[in-house]
Amino acid sequence: MEKLNTCPLCGAQDLRPALKVIDHTVSRESFVLCTCGGCGYAITNPRPSPGEIAPYYISNEYISHSNRTSSFSDKIYHAVRRRTLRSKAALISQYISTGSVLDLGCGTGEFLGHLRSLGYTTQGVEPSPLARAQAENIHKLLVVPTLENLAPETRFNIITLWHVLEHVHDVRETLRLLHRFAAPGALLVIAVPDRESWDAKHYGPDWAAYDVPRHLSHFRRQDLGRFLKEVGFTLVGTRPMWYDAPYVSMLSEKYRGALPLAALLKGVVVGGLSNMVALFTSRPTSSTIFIAKKAEAN
């Protein structure tokens, strides 16, 4: 495990233990969430180093890599994913209706496959060999393991990260690399869980979207906005993700011991309440989409 002594966002040496969270997916180990006394940013700390974290993704429970459909929650996940593929593509087309797309953390490739069917040129980045093989074999996509595997001169009109940025060890450096690969005027779309959502506060350490130790950062809207500004992207808007709260709440109920049907029913109720709070107050939904752009060339 590596332990950070300074905040990755503001550099303050004031990381305070705030919450102990169990890895319910793979190891059953406990991990500590620390918040910065200077800026409030939250991280998993200590955390597995880049060379140590791979085993925490090796599980049939980690559905975005295995693409399995054996359990009830798997079927819910796939139904929601099919629905959101269309809404994600529609969001992108509002800004750019054609061009080249880079999806960082493309998983098994369903999103890129859908975009390619709409006429976009696609490129994926996926560290997991299992997920990468499925994206290549099933959807016939071009997928590389890391951003460093891309040709340095490559530029993209659209870059997307769907629940990926919370997994990376160096958020700022990753965004800097993406800025380099972005063409002038390129669109950047990032979706991350938001720990200020009502369902996050309701479930506390059992909130499934903490997903330690795979989630290394635990964002608020101001945290990601600050990172984007620092590396040269301009935030042009945010969007709620209405489907996330019921699904995350269902998993959280499962972590608390509820049986599948009870977890589903309770998840729908709690997720619905969380969405209602987001609709009528300033609280975010369980996850937020950030839409940013790179400046046009002079």
Side-chain angles (χ1 to χ4, degrees), residues 50-99:
E52 298 170 324
I53 201 164
Y56 291 97
Y57 287 91
I58 302 175
S59 170
N60 286 334
E61 295 294 322
Y62 202 68
I63 188 171
S64 66
H65 286 178
S66 68
N67 218 6
R68 67 173 196 168
T69 57
S70 57
S71 73
F72 184 71
S73 60
D74 296 342
K75 292 178 174 62
I76 296 293
Y77 174 88
H78 284 283
V80 171
R81 185 174 66 181
R82 286 191 296 270
R83 177 84 175 179
T84 58
L85 284 179
R86 295 189 291 272
S87 63
K88 290 174 181 178
L91 172 63
I92 288 170
S93 67
Q94 292 177 19
Y95 295 89
I96 300 177
S97 59
T98 187

CSV table of all heavy atoms in Angstrom, one decimal, residues 50-99:
chain,number,residue,atom,x,y,z
A,50,PRO,N,0.0,1.5,-8.2
A,50,PRO,CA,-0.4,1.0,-9.5
A,50,PRO,C,0.0,-0.5,-9.8
A,50,PRO,O,-0.7,-1.2,-10.5
A,50,PRO,CB,0.4,2.0,-10.4
A,50,PRO,CG,0.5,3.2,-9.6
A,50,PRO,CD,0.6,2.8,-8.2
A,51,GLY,N,1.1,-0.9,-9.1
A,51,GLY,CA,1.5,-2.3,-9.3
A,51,GLY,C,0.8,-3.3,-8.5
A,51,GLY,O,0.9,-4.5,-8.7
A,52,GLU,N,0.0,-2.8,-7.5
A,52,GLU,CA,-0.7,-3.7,-6.6
A,52,GLU,C,-2.2,-3.8,-6.8
A,52,GLU,O,-2.8,-4.7,-6.2
A,52,GLU,CB,-0.4,-3.2,-5.1
A,52,GLU,CG,1.0,-3.2,-4.6
A,52,GLU,CD,1.2,-2.5,-3.3
A,52,GLU,OE1,0.5,-1.5,-3.1
A,52,GLU,OE2,2.0,-3.0,-2.5
A,53,ILE,N,-2.7,-2.9,-7.6
A,53,ILE,CA,-4.2,-2.8,-7.6
A,53,ILE,C,-4.9,-3.8,-8.5
A,53,ILE,O,-6.1,-4.1,-8.3
A,53,ILE,CB,-4.6,-1.3,-8.0
A,53,ILE,CG1,-6.0,-1.0,-7.5
A,53,ILE,CG2,-4.5,-1.1,-9.5
A,53,ILE,CD1,-6.4,0.4,-7.5
A,54,ALA,N,-4.2,-4.4,-9.4
A,54,ALA,CA,-4.9,-5.3,-10.4
A,54,ALA,C,-5.7,-6.4,-9.7
A,54,ALA,O,-6.8,-6.7,-10.2
A,54,ALA,CB,-3.8,-5.8,-11.4
A,55,PRO,N,-5.2,-7.1,-8.7
A,55,PRO,CA,-6.0,-8.1,-8.1
A,55,PRO,C,-7.3,-7.7,-7.5
A,55,PRO,O,-8.2,-8.5,-7.4
A,55,PRO,CB,-5.1,-8.6,-6.9
A,55,PRO,CG,-3.7,-8.3,-7.4
A,55,PRO,CD,-3.8,-7.0,-8.1
A,56,TYR,N,-7.5,-6.4,-7.2
A,56,TYR,CA,-8.7,-5.9,-6.7
A,56,TYR,C,-9.8,-5.8,-7.8
A,56,TYR,O,-11.0,-5.5,-7.5
A,56,TYR,CB,-8.5,-4.6,-6.0
A,56,TYR,CG,-7.8,-4.7,-4.7
A,56,TYR,CD1,-6.4,-4.5,-4.7
A,56,TYR,CD2,-8.4,-5.1,-3.5
A,56,TYR,CE1,-5.7,-4.6,-3.5
A,56,TYR,CE2,-7.7,-5.2,-2.3
A,56,TYR,CZ,-6.3,-5.0,-2.3
A,56,TYR,OH,-5.6,-5.1,-1.2
A,57,TYR,N,-9.4,-6.0,-9.0
A,57,TYR,CA,-10.4,-6.0,-10.1
A,57,TYR,C,-10.7,-7.4,-10.6
A,57,TYR,O,-11.6,-7.6,-11.5
A,57,TYR,CB,-9.8,-5.2,-11.3
A,57,TYR,CG,-9.8,-3.7,-11.1
A,57,TYR,CD1,-8.7,-3.1,-10.6
A,57,TYR,CD2,-10.9,-3.0,-11.5
A,57,TYR,CE1,-8.7,-1.7,-10.4
A,57,TYR,CE2,-10.9,-1.6,-11.3
A,57,TYR,CZ,-9.8,-1.0,-10.8
A,57,TYR,OH,-9.8,0.4,-10.6
A,58,ILE,N,-10.0,-8.4,-10.1
A,58,ILE,CA,-10.2,-9.8,-10.5
A,58,ILE,C,-11.3,-10.5,-9.7
A,58,ILE,O,-11.2,-11.0,-8.6
A,58,ILE,CB,-8.9,-10.6,-10.4
A,58,ILE,CG1,-7.8,-9.9,-11.2
A,58,ILE,CG2,-9.1,-12.0,-10.9
A,58,ILE,CD1,-6.4,-10.6,-11.0
A,59,SER,N,-12.5,-10.4,-10.3
A,59,SER,CA,-13.7,-11.0,-9.6
A,59,SER,C,-14.8,-11.0,-10.6
A,59,SER,O,-15.0,-10.0,-11.4
A,59,SER,CB,-14.1,-10.1,-8.4
A,59,SER,OG,-15.4,-10.6,-7.9
A,60,ASN,N,-15.6,-12.0,-10.6
A,60,ASN,CA,-16.8,-12.1,-11.4
A,60,ASN,C,-17.9,-11.0,-11.0
A,60,ASN,O,-18.8,-10.7,-11.7
A,60,ASN,CB,-17.5,-13.5,-11.4
A,60,ASN,CG,-16.7,-14.5,-12.2
A,60,ASN,OD1,-16.0,-14.1,-13.1
A,60,ASN,ND2,-16.8,-15.7,-11.8
A,61,GLU,N,-17.7,-10.5,-9.7
A,61,GLU,CA,-18.6,-9.5,-9.2
A,61,GLU,C,-18.3,-8.1,-9.9
A,61,GLU,O,-19.2,-7.3,-9.9
A,61,GLU,CB,-18.4,-9.3,-7.7
A,61,GLU,CG,-18.8,-10.5,-6.9
A,61,GLU,CD,-20.3,-10.8,-7.0
A,61,GLU,OE1,-21.1,-9.8,-7.0
A,61,GLU,OE2,-20.6,-12.0,-7.0
A,62,TYR,N,-17.1,-8.0,-10.5
A,62,TYR,CA,-16.8,-6.7,-11.2
A,62,TYR,C,-17.3,-6.7,-12.6
A,62,TYR,O,-16.7,-7.1,-13.5
A,62,TYR,CB,-15.3,-6.4,-11.1
A,62,TYR,CG,-15.0,-5.0,-11.3
A,62,TYR,CD1,-15.4,-4.1,-10.3
A,62,TYR,CD2,-14.5,-4.4,-12.4
A,62,TYR,CE1,-15.2,-2.7,-10.4
A,62,TYR,CE2,-14.3,-3.1,-12.6
A,62,TYR,CZ,-14.6,-2.2,-11.6
A,62,TYR,OH,-14.4,-0.9,-11.7
A,63,ILE,N,-18.6,-6.3,-12.7
A,63,ILE,CA,-19.4,-6.6,-13.9
A,63,ILE,C,-18.9,-5.8,-15.1
A,63,ILE,O,-19.0,-6.3,-16.3
A,63,ILE,CB,-20.9,-6.4,-13.7
A,63,ILE,CG1,-21.7,-6.8,-14.8
A,63,ILE,CG2,-21.1,-4.9,-13.3
A,63,ILE,CD1,-23.2,-6.8,-14.6
A,64,SER,N,-18.3,-4.6,-15.0
A,64,SER,CA,-17.9,-3.9,-16.1
A,64,SER,C,-16.8,-4.5,-16.9
A,64,SER,O,-16.5,-4.2,-18.0
A,64,SER,CB,-17.6,-2.4,-15.7
A,64,SER,OG,-16.4,-2.4,-14.9
A,65,HIS,N,-16.1,-5.5,-16.2
A,65,HIS,CA,-15.0,-6.2,-16.8
A,65,HIS,C,-15.4,-7.6,-17.3
A,65,HIS,O,-15.0,-8.1,-18.3
A,65,HIS,CB,-13.8,-6.3,-15.9
A,65,HIS,CG,-13.0,-5.0,-15.8
A,65,HIS,ND1,-11.9,-4.9,-14.9
A,65,HIS,CD2,-13.2,-3.8,-16.3
A,65,HIS,CE1,-11.5,-3.7,-15.0
A,65,HIS,NE2,-12.2,-3.0,-15.8
A,66,SER,N,-16.3,-8.2,-16.5
A,66,SER,CA,-16.7,-9.6,-16.9
A,66,SER,C,-17.9,-9.7,-17.8
A,66,SER,O,-18.0,-10.6,-18.5
A,66,SER,CB,-17.0,-10.3,-15.6
A,66,SER,OG,-18.2,-9.8,-15.0
A,67,ASN,N,-18.8,-8.6,-17.8
A,67,ASN,CA,-19.9,-8.6,-18.6
A,67,ASN,C,-20.9,-9.8,-18.4
A,67,ASN,O,-21.6,-10.1,-19.3
A,67,ASN,CB,-19.5,-8.6,-20.1
A,67,ASN,CG,-20.4,-7.6,-20.9
A,67,ASN,OD1,-21.3,-7.0,-20.4
A,67,ASN,ND2,-20.2,-7.7,-22.2
A,68,ARG,N,-20.9,-10.3,-17.2
A,68,ARG,CA,-21.7,-11.5,-16.9
A,68,ARG,C,-23.2,-11.0,-16.7
A,68,ARG,O,-23.5,-9.9,-16.5
A,68,ARG,CB,-21.2,-12.2,-15.6
A,68,ARG,CG,-21.4,-11.4,-14.4
A,68,ARG,CD,-21.1,-12.1,-13.1
A,68,ARG,NE,-21.7,-11.4,-12.0
A,68,ARG,CZ,-21.8,-11.9,-10.8
A,68,ARG,NH1,-21.3,-13.1,-10.5
A,68,ARG,NH2,-22.3,-11.2,-9.8
A,69,THR,N,-24.1,-12.0,-16.8
A,69,THR,CA,-25.5,-11.7,-16.6
A,69,THR,C,-26.2,-12.8,-15.7
A,69,THR,O,-27.3,-13.1,-15.9
A,69,THR,CB,-26.2,-11.7,-18.0
A,69,THR,OG1,-26.0,-12.9,-18.7
A,69,THR,CG2,-25.8,-10.5,-18.8
A,70,SER,N,-25.4,-13.3,-14.8
A,70,SER,CA,-25.9,-14.4,-14.0
A,70,SER,C,-26.8,-14.0,-12.8
A,70,SER,O,-27.8,-14.8,-12.5
A,70,SER,CB,-24.8,-15.3,-13.5
A,70,SER,OG,-23.9,-14.5,-12.7
A,71,SER,N,-26.6,-12.9,-12.2
A,71,SER,CA,-27.4,-12.5,-11.0
A,71,SER,C,-28.4,-11.5,-11.4
A,71,SER,O,-28.4,-10.9,-12.4
A,71,SER,CB,-26.4,-12.0,-9.9
A,71,SER,OG,-26.0,-10.7,-10.3
A,72,PHE,N,-29.3,-11.3,-10.4
A,72,PHE,CA,-30.4,-10.3,-10.6
A,72,PHE,C,-29.8,-8.9,-10.8
A,72,PHE,O,-30.3,-8.2,-11.6
A,72,PHE,CB,-31.3,-10.4,-9.4
A,72,PHE,CG,-32.5,-9.5,-9.5
A,72,PHE,CD1,-33.6,-9.8,-10.4
A,72,PHE,CD2,-32.6,-8.3,-8.7
A,72,PHE,CE1,-34.7,-8.9,-10.5
A,72,PHE,CE2,-33.7,-7.5,-8.8
A,72,PHE,CZ,-34.7,-7.8,-9.7
A,73,SER,N,-28.9,-8.6,-10.0
A,73,SER,CA,-28.3,-7.2,-10.1
A,73,SER,C,-27.5,-7.0,-11.4
A,73,SER,O,-27.5,-5.9,-12.0
A,73,SER,CB,-27.3,-6.9,-8.9
A,73,SER,OG,-26.3,-7.9,-8.8
A,74,ASP,N,-27.0,-8.1,-11.9
A,74,ASP,CA,-26.3,-8.1,-13.3
A,74,ASP,C,-27.3,-7.7,-14.3
A,74,ASP,O,-27.1,-6.9,-15.2
A,74,ASP,CB,-25.7,-9.4,-13.6
A,74,ASP,CG,-24.6,-9.9,-12.7
A,74,ASP,OD1,-24.1,-9.0,-12.0
A,74,ASP,OD2,-24.3,-11.1,-12.7
A,75,LYS,N,-28.5,-8.3,-14.3
A,75,LYS,CA,-29.6,-8.1,-15.3
A,75,LYS,C,-30.0,-6.6,-15.2
A,75,LYS,O,-30.3,-6.0,-16.2
A,75,LYS,CB,-30.7,-9.0,-15.1
A,75,LYS,CG,-30.4,-10.5,-15.4
A,75,LYS,CD,-31.5,-11.4,-15.2
A,75,LYS,CE,-31.2,-12.8,-15.7
A,75,LYS,NZ,-30.1,-13.5,-15.0
A,76,ILE,N,-30.2,-6.1,-14.0
A,76,ILE,CA,-30.5,-4.7,-13.8
A,76,ILE,C,-29.5,-3.8,-14.4
A,76,ILE,O,-29.8,-2.8,-15.1
A,76,ILE,CB,-30.7,-4.4,-12.3
A,76,ILE,CG1,-31.9,-5.2,-11.7
A,76,ILE,CG2,-30.9,-2.9,-12.1
A,76,ILE,CD1,-33.2,-4.8,-12.2
A,77,TYR,N,-28.2,-4.1,-14.1
A,77,TYR,CA,-27.1,-3.3,-14.7
A,77,TYR,C,-27.2,-3.3,-16.2
A,77,TYR,O,-27.0,-2.2,-16.8
A,77,TYR,CB,-25.8,-3.9,-14.2
A,77,TYR,CG,-24.5,-3.3,-14.8
A,77,TYR,CD1,-23.9,-2.2,-14.3
A,77,TYR,CD2,-24.0,-3.8,-16.0
A,77,TYR,CE1,-22.8,-1.6,-14.8
A,77,TYR,CE2,-22.8,-3.2,-16.6
A,77,TYR,CZ,-22.3,-2.1,-16.0
A,77,TYR,OH,-21.2,-1.6,-16.6
A,78,HIS,N,-27.4,-4.4,-16.8
A,78,HIS,CA,-27.4,-4.4,-18.3
A,78,HIS,C,-28.6,-3.7,-18.9
A,78,HIS,O,-28.5,-3.0,-19.9
A,78,HIS,CB,-27.3,-5.9,-18.8
A,78,HIS,CG,-26.0,-6.5,-18.7
A,78,HIS,ND1,-25.0,-6.3,-19.6
A,78,HIS,CD2,-25.5,-7.4,-17.8
A,78,HIS,CE1,-23.9,-6.9,-19.3
A,78,HIS,NE2,-24.2,-7.6,-18.2
A,79,ALA,N,-29.7,-3.8,-18.2
A,79,ALA,CA,-30.9,-3.1,-18.7
A,79,ALA,C,-30.7,-1.6,-18.6
A,79,ALA,O,-31.0,-0.8,-19.5
A,79,ALA,CB,-32.1,-3.5,-17.8
A,80,VAL,N,-30.1,-1.1,-17.5
A,80,VAL,CA,-29.8,0.3,-17.4
A,80,VAL,C,-28.8,0.7,-18.4
A,80,VAL,O,-28.9,1.8,-19.0
A,80,VAL,CB,-29.3,0.6,-15.9
A,80,VAL,CG1,-28.8,2.0,-15.8
A,80,VAL,CG2,-30.5,0.4,-14.9
A,81,ARG,N,-27.7,-0.1,-18.6
A,81,ARG,CA,-26.7,0.3,-19.6
A,81,ARG,C,-27.3,0.4,-21.0
A,81,ARG,O,-26.9,1.3,-21.7
A,81,ARG,CB,-25.6,-0.8,-19.6
A,81,ARG,CG,-24.4,-0.4,-20.5
A,81,ARG,CD,-23.2,-1.3,-20.3
A,81,ARG,NE,-23.5,-2.6,-20.8
A,81,ARG,CZ,-22.6,-3.6,-20.8
A,81,ARG,NH1,-21.5,-3.4,-20.3
A,81,ARG,NH2,-23.0,-4.8,-21.3
A,82,ARG,N,-28.1,-0.5,-21.4
A,82,ARG,CA,-28.7,-0.4,-22.7
A,82,ARG,C,-29.5,0.9,-22.9
A,82,ARG,O,-29.5,1.6,-23.9
A,82,ARG,CB,-29.7,-1.5,-23.0
A,82,ARG,CG,-29.0,-2.9,-23.3
A,82,ARG,CD,-29.9,-3.9,-23.8
A,82,ARG,NE,-30.9,-4.3,-22.8
A,82,ARG,CZ,-30.8,-5.2,-21.9
A,82,ARG,NH1,-29.7,-5.9,-21.8
A,82,ARG,NH2,-31.8,-5.5,-21.1
A,83,ARG,N,-30.2,1.3,-21.8
A,83,ARG,CA,-30.9,2.6,-21.8
A,83,ARG,C,-30.0,3.8,-21.9
A,83,ARG,O,-30.2,4.7,-22.7
A,83,ARG,CB,-31.8,2.6,-20.6
A,83,ARG,CG,-32.6,3.9,-20.4
A,83,ARG,CD,-33.9,3.9,-21.2
A,83,ARG,NE,-34.7,5.1,-20.9
A,83,ARG,CZ,-35.8,5.3,-21.5
A,83,ARG,NH1,-36.4,4.4,-22.3
A,83,ARG,NH2,-36.5,6.4,-21.2
A,84,THR,N,-28.9,3.8,-21.1
A,84,THR,CA,-28.1,4.9,-21.0
A,84,THR,C,-27.2,5.1,-22.2
A,84,THR,O,-26.7,6.2,-22.5
A,84,THR,CB,-27.2,4.9,-19.7
A,84,THR,OG1,-26.5,3.7,-19.7
A,84,THR,CG2,-28.1,4.9,-18.5
A,85,LEU,N,-26.9,4.0,-22.9
A,85,LEU,CA,-26.1,4.1,-24.2
A,85,LEU,C,-26.7,5.2,-25.1
A,85,LEU,O,-26.0,6.0,-25.7
A,85,LEU,CB,-26.0,2.8,-24.9
A,85,LEU,CG,-25.0,1.7,-24.3
A,85,LEU,CD1,-25.1,0.5,-25.1
A,85,LEU,CD2,-23.6,2.2,-24.2
A,86,ARG,N,-28.0,5.1,-25.3
A,86,ARG,CA,-28.6,6.0,-26.2
A,86,ARG,C,-28.6,7.5,-25.6
A,86,ARG,O,-28.4,8.4,-26.4
A,86,ARG,CB,-30.1,5.6,-26.4
A,86,ARG,CG,-30.2,4.3,-27.2
A,86,ARG,CD,-31.6,4.0,-27.6
A,86,ARG,NE,-32.5,3.7,-26.4
A,86,ARG,CZ,-32.6,2.5,-25.9
A,86,ARG,NH1,-32.0,1.5,-26.4
A,86,ARG,NH2,-33.5,2.3,-24.8
A,87,SER,N,-28.8,7.6,-24.3
A,87,SER,CA,-28.8,9.0,-23.8
A,87,SER,C,-27.4,9.6,-23.8
A,87,SER,O,-27.2,10.8,-24.0
A,87,SER,CB,-29.4,9.0,-22.3
A,87,SER,OG,-28.5,8.2,-21.5
A,88,LYS,N,-26.4,8.8,-23.6
A,88,LYS,CA,-25.0,9.3,-23.7
A,88,LYS,C,-24.7,9.7,-25.1
A,88,LYS,O,-24.1,10.8,-25.3
A,88,LYS,CB,-24.0,8.2,-23.2
A,88,LYS,CG,-24.0,7.8,-21.7
A,88,LYS,CD,-23.1,6.6,-21.4
A,88,LYS,CE,-23.2,6.3,-20.0
A,88,LYS,NZ,-22.3,5.1,-19.7
A,89,ALA,N,-25.0,8.9,-26.1
A,89,ALA,CA,-24.8,9.3,-27.5
A,89,ALA,C,-25.5,10.5,-27.8
A,89,ALA,O,-25.0,11.4,-28.5
A,89,ALA,CB,-25.2,8.1,-28.4
A,90,ALA,N,-26.8,10.7,-27.3
A,90,ALA,CA,-27.6,11.9,-27.6
A,90,ALA,C,-26.9,13.1,-27.0
A,90,ALA,O,-26.9,14.2,-27.6
A,90,ALA,CB,-29.0,11.7,-27.1
A,91,LEU,N,-26.4,13.0,-25.8
A,91,LEU,CA,-25.7,14.1,-25.2
A,91,LEU,C,-24.5,14.6,-26.0
A,91,LEU,O,-24.4,15.8,-26.3
A,91,LEU,CB,-25.3,13.7,-23.8
A,91,LEU,CG,-24.3,14.7,-23.0
A,91,LEU,CD1,-25.1,16.0,-22.8
A,91,LEU,CD2,-23.9,14.1,-21.7
A,92,ILE,N,-23.7,13.6,-26.5
A,92,ILE,CA,-22.5,14.0,-27.3
A,92,ILE,C,-22.9,14.6,-28.6
A,92,ILE,O,-22.3,15.6,-29.0
A,92,ILE,CB,-21.7,12.7,-27.5
A,92,ILE,CG1,-21.0,12.3,-26.2
A,92,ILE,CG2,-20.7,12.9,-28.6
A,92,ILE,CD1,-20.3,11.0,-26.3
A,93,SER,N,-24.0,14.1,-29.2
A,93,SER,CA,-24.4,14.6,-30.5
A,93,SER,C,-24.9,16.1,-30.4
A,93,SER,O,-25.0,16.8,-31.4
A,93,SER,CB,-25.4,13.7,-31.2
A,93,SER,OG,-26.6,13.7,-30.4
A,94,GLN,N,-25.3,16.5,-29.2
A,94,GLN,CA,-25.7,17.9,-29.1
A,94,GLN,C,-24.6,18.8,-29.3
A,94,GLN,O,-24.8,20.0,-29.7
A,94,GLN,CB,-26.3,18.1,-27.6
A,94,GLN,CG,-27.6,17.4,-27.4
A,94,GLN,CD,-28.0,17.6,-25.9
A,94,GLN,OE1,-27.6,18.5,-25.2
A,94,GLN,NE2,-28.9,16.7,-25.4
A,95,TYR,N,-23.4,18.4,-29.1
A,95,TYR,CA,-22.2,19.2,-29.2
A,95,TYR,C,-21.4,18.9,-30.5
A,95,TYR,O,-21.0,19.9,-31.2
A,95,TYR,CB,-21.3,19.1,-28.0
A,95,TYR,CG,-21.9,19.5,-26.7
A,95,TYR,CD1,-22.7,18.7,-25.9
A,95,TYR,CD2,-21.7,20.9,-26.3
A,95,TYR,CE1,-23.2,19.1,-24.7
A,95,TYR,CE2,-22.3,21.3,-25.1
A,95,TYR,CZ,-23.0,20.4,-24.3
A,95,TYR,OH,-23.6,20.9,-23.2
A,96,ILE,N,-21.2,17.6,-30.8
A,96,ILE,CA,-20.4,17.2,-31.9
A,96,ILE,C,-21.1,16.0,-32.5
A,96,ILE,O,-21.2,15.0,-31.9
A,96,ILE,CB,-18.9,16.9,-31.6
A,96,ILE,CG1,-18.3,18.1,-31.0
A,96,ILE,CG2,-18.2,16.4,-32.8
A,96,ILE,CD1,-16.8,17.9,-30.5
A,97,SER,N,-21.5,16.1,-33.8
A,97,SER,CA,-22.3,15.0,-34.4
A,97,SER,C,-21.5,14.0,-35.2
A,97,SER,O,-22.0,13.0,-35.6
A,97,SER,CB,-23.4,15.6,-35.3
A,97,SER,OG,-22.8,16.4,-36.3
A,98,THR,N,-20.2,14.3,-35.4
A,98,THR,CA,-19.4,13.4,-36.1
A,98,THR,C,-17.9,13.6,-35.7
A,98,THR,O,-17.6,14.6,-35.0
A,98,THR,CB,-19.5,13.6,-37.6
A,98,THR,OG1,-18.8,12.6,-38.3
A,98,THR,CG2,-19.0,15.0,-38.0
A,99,GLY,N,-17.0,12.7,-36.0
A,99,GLY,CA,-15.6,12.9,-35.6
A,99,GLY,C,-15.1,11.7,-34.9
A,99,GLY,O,-15.7,10.6,-34.8
